[in-house]
Amino acid sequence: MTPGEPARFSWGQRVRALIDLHNDGSYPGLPQDALLAPAGSTGEVVQVGVEVESGVSVYLIEFGPGRVVGCLEQELDAA
């Protein structure tokens, strides 16, 4: 995605992880590098935001009860 383009996914949309998603240190309560969602996991977009400095869309995806993970567009595909 180029900064300033509209978000590809929208709230409530089902998506799947294209890669294994690991904790980069920003997910509380789990060690860094812990697997948060394996590739192929499906989830639902619960929030869409924009990283202020780069203008890149950031998505919060609920991959299961209590497992909301921040993802970039290139890490996801429509389910």
Side-chain angles (χ1 to χ4, degrees):
M1 160 179 232
T2 305
E5 284 185 23
R8 179 175 168 206
F9 306 109
S10 57
W11 180 85
Q13 185 174 354
R14 299 288 297 169
V15 294
R16 69 179 157 82
L18 293 174
I19 61 170
D20 288 341
L21 299 171
H22 293 271
N23 187 7
D24 63 1
S26 63
Y27 196 93
L30 290 176
Q32 188 158 343
D33 294 326
L35 182 62
L36 300 174
S41 296
T42 59
E44 182 177 319
V45 178
V46 294
Q47 188 170 352
V48 179
V50 175
E51 202 281 319
V52 176
E53 289 182 19
S54 67
V56 172
S57 293
V58 179
Y59 302 88
L60 289 182
I61 310 298
E62 185 172 24
F63 284 104
R67 184 59 56 107
V68 177
V69 179
C71 298
L72 299 174
E73 200 163 272
Q74 63 266 26
E75 299 172 323
L76 304 168
D77 198 9

